[in-house]
Amino acid sequence: MNDTLRTKLGVPFPLFAFSHCRDVIVAVSKAGGFGVLGAAGFSPDELETELTWIDQHIDGHPYGVDLLFPENMALAGEDPSRVTDLARGIPQQHRQFVADLLKTHGVDPGGEADAVRVSRPPSLLRAQGVALLDVAFRHPIKLIVNALGLPPKEMFEGARAKGVLVGALAGAREHALRHVEAGVDVIVAQGGEAGGHCGEVSTMVLIPEVVRAVRAVSDVPVLAAGGIMTGRQMAAAMVLGASGAWTGSVWLATTESETSEIFRDKMVKARSRDTVRSKGRTGKYSRQLKSAWTDAWEGPDSPGALPMPLQSMISEPALQKATAAAERGVAGGRELVTYFVGQGVGLVENVRSARAVVQDFREEFAEALGDLDTLAS
Amino acid sequence: MNDTLRTKLGVPFPLFAFSHCRDVIVAVSKAGGFGVLGAAGFSPDELETELTWIDQHIDGHPYGVDLLFPENMALAGEDPSRVTDLARGIPQQHRQFVADLLKTHGVDPGGEADAVRVSRPPSLLRAQGVALLDVAFRHPIKLIVNALGLPPKEMFEGARAKGVLVGALAGAREHALRHVEAGVDVIVAQGGEAGGHCGEVSTMVLIPEVVRAVRAVSDVPVLAAGGIMTGRQMAAAMVLGASGAWTGSVWLATTESETSEIFRDKMVKARSRDTVRSKGRTGKYSRQLKSAWTDAWEGPDSPGALPMPLQSMISEPALQKATAAAERGVAGGRELVTYFVGQGVGLVENVRSARAVVQDFREEFAEALGDLDTLAS
């Protein structure tokens, strides 16, 4: 196993868990894995609260933070105080499409005022992201990760000052090489079957491709992501040359996760074919559970998704309303409910505690290694 | 390793090679793997010639044959003598689209008479497929495979009479279970990154999903397909629970393969993102190398692909002309050239002999097992 991960990160079992939920981060790190908190959806004050709680409960085990500084995004230089102006960039056609979609599903779209999320400036705005970075660096994190594109200079500077490693996601070999050239310490190579923002190349092909390219020019470790829900798949990914696994979707089906019970129930019932790669949630391609929402945005009457960050400003409030309605028993609301999840959703059979998930990973990983002993003879 | 493969098929190293080229079949089987001849493109006389040649050169090593009996296809019951009538089902709009596409790329579309392939009845017609089956069963094959959907009863009957195993491809768990229920002996679970006809679920997710489902009800072995170009990936697939690997694209980049030198050159240069899942070649989704041909059929002016088998009747003659023109130096012809290939094309760095490919697989497979020893400690 690549020394960087064990030595610099202090992680015994290279299972990296991406989650928005602090309980998952703590459970995973305490069980020998490495939790990474997805922080893009928090305000700086909220992030401060989350990280303080983590520090108090994690017994000194290592963990990291993941932020979102997309390279190619409309309004990257915008001042957060101009969010109301941003909202004006949203065409009436799109607002109407969303309102009608909610109505035909028995969900009250509410007034114009709460159709667009302006109360919390999208953290995709650079200044917001930098404020979150500052908060993260005030805590004993070991890894800071950029979820989309090259990490910005503020991430490198803060990380170097604190002895924190910098990670970055890549969905293609060329992107991984750019990361290495820029000085990234850990590459997360994410296959197209992953939940959330992802590329087109599958994990089985991408991992060997990225490992081969990165090893030709550096010692940078590569984590495998995309579809990994079990210890057996983690072992397979390491056979492909990865130094560990980066996982996301499996943590959504835990008792601690931030998802609604309705979504977790949908996850248990879903097949691996029930996801779709669509721009309808954030404006960039991301893999989500198929639902009436994704069907509408991919359908013939769709006005087409707005660019990031505008699409989130209309999708998030709408889906919150749909979820709330679903929780009140509105069947149409339930049909709309969706979230980021990968094809691995087909492997989810039940909802477990995060701790049980880590234990299952460790047991299956050991079993898989045992099987290979048999193969070798 | 699952006993069925070793005992009943007599294969020491469970690397299954799908190829239209008899030289590849012989090289792979003689090197300890298992060659499977893709026979759907041959006439019965041609297949008789190929199998006789294989029998004379393969030194008694085991091999198999793959045919195509699609379950859901227009005209499945059609009489091959009615092929000229079939050709009339092709709209003028489509013929014109193809002719214009060739012309704008400097390729002579020829006359109306040779724009549609009627000289060789598509083997997709059932009677043709059955004639091919009869030829196959007259040779000492060990495995007969249906490439798309449930094998027809004639395949099961012939196989049982001869002690031949029946295999079938599946791109989803539900299809694999139908195969098991119907009595299929070997399942090939093929991920969406594979070349040719394929589903949507990636290999990393599909293999554990299918293995779990099939093992719950049977002892049927599952082979993994989709993106596998190296011994390391084969080892990874077996860690996922597969009993071996089924490979296709890697054999296209061999000196023996049936592909043109131009296509092999394109393969070496291609990145994993340079494939597309399109209906434009056969009328059903199949993964192919992106080219001016696939761009046109996926583009805004496309008339939309015809259903199987009509689309092949216009695509094959056109692409043959384009390839011939490319070989004469016509740049536009070269831009059109395409073939079935998976995302694993990004892992092709050079053209090797089929024998060298098998050797490389065996070496890397052993290396991967060695690495896991390190992991285990």
Side-chain angles (χ1 to χ4, degrees):
Chain A
M1 187 169 105
N2 186 297
D3 268 356
T4 307
L5 290 177
R6 208 194 323 239
T7 338
K8 296 189 187 176
L9 290 180
V11 58
F13 184 60
L15 169 61
F16 289 70
F18 171 87
S19 169
H20 294 109
C21 176
R22 64 197 193 185
D23 301 81
V24 171
I25 304 312
V26 166
V28 171
S29 291
K30 286 175 74 172
F34 191 98
V36 180
L37 185 74
F42 298 119
S43 71
D45 284 347
E46 285 167 345
L47 183 58
E48 177 62 36
T49 303
E50 299 303 285
L51 296 182
T52 302
W53 187 93
I54 288 175
D55 294 339
Q56 287 163 353
H57 291 83
I58 205 166
D59 288 351
H61 291 275
Y63 74 100
V65 168
D66 175 294
L67 289 170
L68 194 66
F69 286 90
E71 277 184 83
N72 300 314
M73 186 182 70
L75 315 161
E78 286 296 335
D79 180 338
S81 62
R82 292 197 53 216
V83 168
T84 320
D85 293 342
L86 270 183
R88 286 197 204 109
I90 294 165
Q92 181 55 27
Q93 182 194 16
H94 288 71
R95 296 167 184 253
Q96 197 59 53
F97 181 77
V98 170
D100 292 343
L101 181 55
L102 289 177
K103 271 184 276 185
T104 55
H105 284 82
V107 179
D108 179 1
E112 281 230 15
D114 59 358
V116 178
R117 185 181 68 183
V118 297
S119 56
R120 168 181 303 175
S123 59
L124 298 168
L125 295 177
R126 199 182 182 80
Q128 183 76 358
V130 171
L132 290 170
L133 256 186
D134 289 345
V135 172
F137 284 133
R138 289 201 294 267
H139 292 263
I141 64 174
K142 293 282 189 291
L143 176 72
I144 185 85
V145 180
N146 191 38
L148 206 58
L150 271 180
K153 62 174 173 61
E154 295 91 337
M155 192 177 275
F156 280 113
E157 288 165 0
R160 300 300 176 232
K162 294 271 177 174
V164 173
L165 295 190
V166 176
L169 282 266
R173 175 186 61 189
E174 299 79 17
H175 299 164
L177 288 172
R178 282 175 72 223
H179 289 336
V180 169
E181 211 180 324
V184 166
D185 303 301
V186 182
I187 304 289
V188 180
Q190 189 184 43
E193 59 264 65
H197 296 106
C198 58
E200 301 165 48
V201 181
S202 77
T203 302
M204 175 63 79
V205 171
L206 186 70
I207 304 313
E209 193 177 14
V210 169
V211 166
R212 194 189 277 182
V214 167
R215 284 217 185 125
V217 298
S218 75
D219 288 332
V220 174
V222 177
L223 296 177
I228 301 172
M229 311 290 281
T230 65
R232 198 167 265 285
Q233 291 167 299
M234 178 177 167
M238 294 179 77
V239 171
L240 292 176
S243 301
W246 174 278
T247 53
S249 299
V250 67
W251 311 102
L252 299 176
T254 57
T255 46
E256 296 92 334
S257 104
E258 76 275 17
T259 51
S260 63
E261 216 177 292
I262 285 170
F263 183 75
R264 291 197 291 257
D265 186 53
K266 281 193 164 195
M267 279 188 75
V268 170
K269 296 184 162 85
R271 305 161 312 167
S272 50
R273 288 189 286 178
D274 292 330
T275 69
V276 62
R277 205 166 154 260
S278 162
K279 291 185 173 184
R281 183 116 188 188
T282 70
K284 280 191 193 281
Y285 279 115
S286 69
R287 188 173 290 282
Q288 314 151 46
L289 194 70
K290 280 182 189 163
S291 79
W293 173 268
T294 64
D295 288 346
W297 283 98
E298 295 302 304
D301 301 326
S302 167
L306 297 165
M308 205 180 245
L310 300 177
Q311 186 68 10
S312 300
M313 291 172 73
I314 54 171
S315 67
E316 296 303 326
L319 287 164
Q320 267 168 27
K321 294 190 182 82
T323 304
E327 283 167 348
R328 289 191 310 270
V330 177
R334 193 186 174 97
E335 283 165 25
L336 288 166
V337 166
T338 175
Y339 197 55
F340 305 107
V341 75
Q343 292 187 335
V345 72
L347 293 168
V348 172
E349 300 190 321
N350 48 28
V351 176
R352 294 165 285 171
S353 71
R355 187 154 168 255
V357 171
V358 181
Q359 278 168 348
D360 291 346
F361 257 87
R362 296 190 87 145
E363 278 171 24
E364 275 208 31
F365 185 85
E367 256 181 47
L369 297 190
D371 281 0
L372 264 133
D373 262 351
T374 317
L375 257 185
S377 55
Chain B
M1 184 170 105
N2 186 298
D3 268 358
T4 306
L5 290 176
R6 209 197 318 243
T7 340
K8 296 189 187 177
L9 291 179
V11 57
F13 184 60
L15 169 61
F16 289 69
F18 171 87
S19 170
H20 295 108
C21 176
R22 64 197 193 185
D23 301 81
V24 171
I25 305 311
V26 166
V28 170
S29 291
K30 285 174 75 172
F34 191 100
V36 180
L37 185 74
F42 298 120
S43 71
D45 285 346
E46 285 168 345
L47 182 59
E48 177 60 37
T49 303
E50 300 302 286
L51 296 182
T52 301
W53 188 94
I54 289 174
D55 294 340
Q56 287 163 353
H57 290 83
I58 206 165
D59 288 350
H61 292 275
Y63 74 99
V65 167
D66 176 294
L67 288 170
L68 194 66
F69 284 90
E71 276 184 85
N72 299 313
M73 185 181 69
L75 314 160
E78 286 295 335
D79 180 338
S81 62
R82 293 197 52 218
V83 168
T84 320
D85 292 343
L86 270 184
R88 287 196 202 108
I90 293 164
Q92 181 55 26
Q93 183 196 15
H94 288 71
R95 298 167 182 255
Q96 197 60 53
F97 181 76
V98 170
D100 292 344
L101 182 56
L102 290 176
K103 271 186 276 188
T104 56
H105 284 82
V107 180
D108 180 0
E112 281 231 15
D114 59 356
V116 178
R117 185 181 68 185
V118 295
S119 56
R120 167 183 302 176
S123 59
L124 297 169
L125 296 177
R126 199 182 183 82
Q128 185 77 356
V130 171
L132 291 170
L133 255 187
D134 289 344
V135 171
F137 285 133
R138 288 201 294 269
H139 292 264
I141 64 172
K142 292 281 190 291
L143 177 70
I144 185 85
V145 181
N146 191 40
L148 206 60
L150 271 180
K153 62 175 172 60
E154 294 92 336
M155 192 177 276
F156 281 112
E157 287 163 2
R160 300 299 176 234
K162 295 270 177 175
V164 172
L165 295 191
V166 176
L169 283 265
R173 175 185 63 190
E174 298 79 18
H175 299 164
L177 288 172
R178 281 176 72 222
H179 289 336
V180 168
E181 211 178 325
V184 165
D185 303 301
V186 182
I187 304 288
V188 180
Q190 188 185 44
E193 59 264 65
H197 296 106
C198 58
E200 301 166 47
V201 182
S202 78
T203 301
M204 176 64 79
V205 172
L206 186 69
I207 305 312
E209 193 177 14
V210 168
V211 166
R212 195 188 276 182
V214 167
R215 283 214 188 130
V217 298
S218 75
D219 287 331
V220 174
V222 176
L223 296 176
I228 301 172
M229 312 289 281
T230 65
R232 199 168 265 285
Q233 289 168 302
M234 178 176 167
M238 293 178 78
V239 171
L240 292 177
S243 301
W246 173 280
T247 54
S249 299
V250 68
W251 311 102
L252 299 176
T254 56
T255 45
E256 296 93 334
S257 104
E258 76 276 15
T259 51
S260 64
E261 215 178 296
I262 285 171
F263 183 76
R264 291 197 292 257
D265 186 53
K266 281 192 163 196
M267 278 188 76
V268 171
K269 295 184 161 87
R271 305 163 310 169
S272 50
R273 285 188 288 178
D274 292 331
T275 69
V276 62
R277 206 168 154 258
S278 163
K279 291 186 174 184
R281 184 115 188 191
T282 69
K284 280 189 191 283
Y285 279 116
S286 70
R287 189 173 289 283
Q288 315 152 46
L289 193 69
K290 280 181 189 164
S291 78
W293 173 269
T294 64
D295 289 346
W297 283 97
E298 294 303 303
D301 301 326
S302 166
L306 297 166
M308 201 180 248
L310 300 177
Q311 186 68 10
S312 300
M313 291 171 72
I314 56 171
S315 68
E316 296 303 325
L319 287 165
Q320 266 168 28
K321 294 190 181 80
T323 304
E327 283 167 347
R328 291 192 308 271
V330 177
R334 192 187 175 95
E335 283 166 22
L336 288 167
V337 167
T338 175
Y339 198 55
F340 305 106
V341 76
Q343 292 188 335
V345 71
L347 292 170
V348 172
E349 299 190 323
N350 49 26
V351 177
R352 295 165 285 171
S353 69
R355 188 154 166 255
V357 171
V358 183
Q359 277 167 348
D360 291 346
F361 257 88
R362 295 191 88 145
E363 278 171 25
E364 276 208 29
F365 185 85
E367 255 180 49
L369 296 190
D371 279 2
L372 265 133
D373 261 351
T374 317
L375 257 185
S377 52

